[in-house]
């Protein structure tokens, strides 16, 4: 049988209770909680063949994994296919229901930890962590079989029964924390919209020094006016579907937000140290994510009609008369729910509708539906 660089399948009969064909992996042996485990590099083409999911049809208490969320797969697969020279996948973790025979290369030091791990082909490999990566690899290989020669790290544990596998899943996910959206935007160099948001922050006097680059929520005493994630979504909404020449998106976004700044005197008051950022956020909603998103959508409508600066700036002028204070009862149910600013999709749309009415802009059918439901008291 063909020999793999990182994993081989042999026809040798080995002296164990069951004989047959084996997978042989070059591996490193380790110890956790008194149990041996092994780390190897596995060619991607073997991943769909040997690793299985827990049965979806079983009830949760009889499974050792959550049900595969197929909605996540297109994005993961696209990520691999779009970045064949620059994708990164962390290790898979699997339990092996079968014999694992490790032969070290020596008896001392590194040689004792390195060797070959033989696992019968009849053994059952159950993924404890990485089922979506495994499924995405399978889909990506169908589109680009050349990826099959690349490898992914795999951590093998001996299967000690359902309870142990369930505990492994719980432990592996117990302390997993999704990073804040702002730091994701800050570190994402593939996303052109993230690049634009960072460029605007770095070049515009409106935002430079006043944007929280790491966190997506501002503390009550923060001296920042905005979060990077809020500016990102606002700018994304602004430029969606707008035709701009390559490299000019950041300039257009900067021009737009600086025009908005001239209509919101509190922003400038903070920069002049006449008003603290915390007081502004406490008393007004125009620096919150929902407002930036809504202003981005308003700008998008104007830019789609005309990218001529003089035209869309003139049409923005009525925003100067909008009462952005939290004390304005018009915001209740639109941007504020139960005394708190709400960033739900419905509330963003209701805020957009409010601004459209001030600017004399019509509502789309979907916006009108949301507005009618709000006026009926259904929202």
């Amino acid at each position: 049988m063909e020999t793999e660089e990182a994993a081989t399948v042999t026809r040798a009969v080995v002296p164990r209770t069951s004989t047959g064909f084996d997978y042989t992996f070059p591996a490193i042996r380790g110890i956790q909680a008194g149990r041996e485990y092994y780390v190897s590099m596995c060619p991607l083409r073997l991943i769909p063949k040997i690793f299985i999911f827990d049965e979806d049809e079983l009830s949760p208490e009889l499974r050792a994994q959550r049900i595969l969320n197929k909605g996540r797969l297109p994005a993961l697969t696209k990520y691999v296919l779009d970045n064949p020279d620059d994708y990164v996948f962390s290790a898979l973790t699997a339990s092996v229901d079968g014999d694992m025979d490790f032969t070290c290369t020596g008896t001392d030091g590194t040689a004792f930890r390195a060797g070959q791990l033989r696992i019968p082909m009849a053994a059952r490999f159950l993924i404890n962590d990485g089922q979506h990566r495994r499924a995405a690899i399978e889909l990506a290989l169908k589109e680009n079989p050349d990826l099959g020669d690349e490898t992914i790290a795999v951590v093998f544990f001996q299967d000690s029964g359902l309870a142990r596998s369930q505990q492994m899943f719980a432990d592996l996910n117990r302390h997993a924390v999704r990073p804040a959206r702002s730091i994701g935007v800050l570190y994402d160099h593939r996303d052109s919209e993230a690049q634009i948001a960072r460029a605007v922050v770095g070049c515009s006097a409106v935002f430079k020094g006043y944007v929280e680059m790491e966190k997506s929520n501002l503390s009550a005493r923060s001296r920042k006016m905005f979060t990077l994630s809020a500016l990102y979504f606002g700018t994304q909404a602004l430029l969606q579907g707008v035709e701009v020449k390559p490299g000019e998106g950041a300039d257009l976004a900067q021009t737009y937000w600086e025009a908005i700044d001239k209509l919101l005197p509190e922003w400038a008051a903070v920069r002049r140290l006449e008003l603290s950022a915390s007081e502004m956020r406490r008393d007004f909603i125009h620096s919150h994510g929902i407002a930036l998103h809504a202003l981005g959508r308003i700008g998008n409508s104007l830019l789609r009609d005309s990218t001529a600066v003089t035209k869309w700036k003139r049409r923005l002028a009525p925003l100067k008369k909008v009462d952005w204070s939290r004390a304005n009862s018009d915001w209740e149910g639109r941007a504020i729910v139960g005394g708190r600013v709400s960033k739900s999709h419905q509330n963003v749309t209701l805020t957009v509708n409010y601004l459209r009415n001030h600017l004399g802009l019509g509502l789309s059918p979907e916006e009108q539906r949301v507005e009618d439901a709000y006026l009926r008291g259904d929202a």
Side-chain angles (χ1 to χ4, degrees):
M1 185 167 288
E2 181 184 7
T3 300
E4 310 285 1
E5 180 180 353
T8 60
V9 181
T10 70
R11 295 179 182 273
V13 176
V14 293
R16 290 194 299 275
T17 54
S18 61
T19 62
F21 301 111
D22 300 321
Y23 293 110
T24 303
F25 301 93
I28 298 174
R29 171 168 50 189
I31 301 290
Q32 279 188 6
R35 296 184 178 90
E36 286 192 356
Y37 71 97
Y38 309 93
V39 181
S40 183
M41 300 296 138
C42 185
L44 295 188
R45 63 172 166 270
L46 286 184
I47 297 299
K49 298 177 181 178
I50 64 177
F51 293 103
I52 64 172
F53 300 135
D54 215 352
E55 293 81 7
D56 287 351
E57 64 270 14
L58 294 179
S59 60
E61 61 271 19
L62 297 179
R63 293 198 311 265
Q65 255 290 7
R66 54 189 157 194
I67 293 177
L68 186 71
N69 180 357
K70 296 181 180 179
R72 292 180 55 189
L73 300 184
L76 269 175
T77 304
K78 185 176 186 297
Y79 163 67
V80 177
L81 294 174
D82 289 353
N83 303 282
D85 300 321
D86 197 26
Y87 72 93
V88 178
F89 269 165
S90 56
L92 304 178
T93 302
S95 294
V96 179
D97 184 8
D99 292 334
M100 289 198 294
D101 183 14
F102 181 77
T103 304
C104 57
T105 58
T107 58
D108 299 315
T110 302
F112 181 72
R113 295 191 295 272
Q116 288 189 325
L117 178 66
R118 283 193 172 89
I119 303 175
M121 294 180 69
R124 185 170 181 262
F125 297 78
L126 176 65
I127 290 184
N128 300 107
D129 183 58
Q131 61 171 343
H132 292 92
R133 272 164 277 155
R134 179 258 182 224
I137 288 170
E138 181 176 15
L139 294 175
L141 286 172
K142 293 178 181 178
E143 297 287 332
N144 184 3
D146 291 341
L147 292 170
D149 292 327
E150 300 194 356
T151 60
I152 188 171
V154 181
V155 183
F156 294 102
F157 288 89
Q158 183 73 56
D159 188 352
S160 300
L162 178 62
R164 173 62 181 163
S165 292
Q166 290 177 335
Q167 188 63 57
M168 285 177 64
F169 175 83
D171 290 346
L172 287 167
N173 289 278
R174 183 184 306 276
H175 301 295
V177 178
R178 186 180 181 87
R181 182 60 184 167
S182 284
I183 199 169
V185 173
L186 179 64
Y187 290 166
D188 193 339
H189 297 275
R190 292 194 182 95
D191 186 347
S192 60
E193 293 165 337
Q195 294 174 16
I196 289 173
R198 292 196 302 269
V200 171
V201 172
C203 296
S204 175
V206 173
F207 298 110
K208 194 170 186 178
Y210 294 96
V211 175
E212 169 55 59
M213 305 295 284
E214 184 171 354
K215 301 175 183 177
S216 292
N217 291 293
L218 296 175
S219 66
R221 296 184 179 182
S222 174
R223 296 179 180 180
K224 307 296 185 180
M225 289 198 287
F226 318 93
T227 64
L228 180 58
S229 59
L231 181 60
Y232 169 84
F233 287 117
T235 302
Q236 182 184 58
L238 172 68
L239 298 178
Q240 186 174 14
V242 176
E243 294 185 5
V244 293
K245 295 179 181 179
E248 294 185 357
D251 292 337
L252 179 57
Q254 180 177 339
T255 301
Y256 177 78
W257 291 118
E258 288 177 352
I260 291 295
D261 175 66
K262 295 184 184 303
L263 303 172
L264 305 175
E266 292 80 19
W267 288 11
V270 173
R271 296 197 301 274
R272 292 194 302 266
L273 304 181
E274 298 170 357
L275 180 69
S276 72
S278 59
E279 289 173 333
M280 186 198 67
R281 295 195 313 273
R282 181 194 65 199
D283 298 334
F284 300 89
I285 70 165
H286 47 43
S287 71
H288 289 260
I290 186 173
L292 294 183
H293 196 162
L295 288 167
R297 282 175 55 175
I298 292 295
N300 182 261
S301 297
L302 299 181
L303 291 176
R304 284 173 178 268
D305 287 344
S306 174
T307 55
V309 176
T310 53
K311 287 187 177 181
W312 59 254
K313 276 189 176 181
R314 186 169 58 251
R315 298 182 69 183
L316 279 175
L319 285 178
K320 195 174 184 67
K321 298 180 181 179
V322 172
D323 181 0
W324 293 93
S325 68
R326 284 175 177 259
N328 180 6
S329 60
D330 290 346
W331 296 122
E332 184 59 41
R334 289 187 183 273
I336 298 175
V337 177
R340 298 177 65 87
V341 175
S342 171
K343 294 185 289 186
S344 74
H345 176 74
Q346 178 174 274
N347 288 113
V348 171
T349 299
L350 288 170
T351 302
V352 170
N353 293 353
Y354 185 77
L355 299 179
R356 286 193 188 282
N357 288 332
H358 269 77
L359 296 176
L361 303 176
L363 305 185
S364 70
E366 174 61 19
E367 289 168 343
Q368 189 63 59
R369 183 192 66 77
V370 174
E371 185 70 14
D372 291 342
Y374 170 75
L375 295 175
R376 289 194 308 266
D378 297 340

